[in-house]
Amino acid sequence: MEEILRGRVHKYGDNVDTDAIIPGRFLKEMDPKKLAEHAMEGIDPNFVKKVKPGDFIVAGKNFGCGSSREHAPIALRYSGIKAVLAKSFARIFYRNAVDGGHLIPIEIDNNVYERLSDGDEIEIDISKGIIRNLTKGEVYNIRPIPELVMKIIKAGGIFMFKHE
């Protein structure tokens, strides 16, 4: 996994629940690419037309709340999202994102959330713990990502990590 990620921001508010990330009617789908075709459909029907590989979701508080669905981080990953930056995460979404090695969940403070705008081009330097907003020419700090979380994600999930 690269230490520096670059992409565009897709910004949402607080309490984006798992049904907004992947509506329940698609949960029988097992093909991750088919799940990705419906990512964020519950909140943004045009998301899959806008997202490009390497993009980021920026959200407010409690991202991924609601039902426990492993499908949610899978749908985001296969839609092209590399990381979700949020003021806070529902714990089960956070664990599903990390345990599956699907996404990097990055906690940001309110100031960073307010400074990032939909469509901004950003670069995240994981090792330095900073975000460069290439659109606005600004730099922000992110909360440190626990070393164990990054090891699990880099391994490709908890099962792959266990075998390293």
Side-chain angles (χ1 to χ4, degrees):
M1 171 175 285
E2 315 100 58
E3 289 290 321
I4 297 178
L5 309 172
R6 188 174 184 168
R8 290 176 309 130
V9 168
H10 301 271
K11 190 171 181 179
Y12 301 95
D14 293 340
N15 301 310
V16 175
D17 65 31
T18 52
D19 204 43
I21 298 168
I22 185 71
R25 64 185 177 277
F26 302 112
L27 296 181
K28 292 180 183 175
E29 184 58 61
M30 300 303 288
D31 181 348
K33 292 178 183 170
K34 295 281 186 191
L35 284 171
E37 293 174 5
H38 303 284
M40 301 301 282
E41 192 173 292
I43 193 171
D44 184 354
N46 294 316
F47 177 78
V48 294
K49 295 176 186 167
K50 299 184 294 186
V51 70
K52 294 189 171 146
D55 282 356
F56 308 102
I57 287 180
V58 172
K61 297 177 186 173
N62 204 23
F63 185 86
C65 60
S67 303
S68 172
R69 295 182 182 167
E70 296 83 5
H71 305 72
I74 293 170
L76 293 178
R77 173 186 178 181
Y78 282 87
S79 73
I81 295 296
K82 283 281 190 188
V84 176
L85 295 76
K87 290 196 272 184
S88 66
F89 291 89
R91 290 293 100 185
I92 193 69
F93 178 88
Y94 188 95
R95 289 193 62 169
N96 285 334
V98 172
D99 288 354
H102 300 299
L103 304 165
I104 304 172
I106 299 173
E107 293 183 327
I108 56 175
D109 64 27
N110 190 56
N111 181 53
V112 174
Y113 175 78
E114 293 297 328
R115 297 297 310 153
L116 292 170
S117 302
D118 196 56
D120 281 355
E121 179 89 15
I122 63 171
E123 188 175 85
I124 302 172
D125 188 327
I126 300 293
S127 62
K128 291 183 179 174
I130 58 170
I131 300 170
R132 290 182 191 90
N133 187 328
L134 304 173
T135 302
K136 296 176 179 164
E138 299 173 342
V139 177
Y140 323 114
N141 292 317
I142 57 175
R143 295 180 191 157
I145 301 169
E147 185 179 329
L148 179 59
V149 166
M150 286 308 299
K151 284 182 178 179
I152 292 170
I153 292 170
K154 286 179 179 176
I158 194 88
F159 294 115
M160 298 303 287
F161 175 73
K162 183 181 176 197
H163 294 293
E164 284 190 348

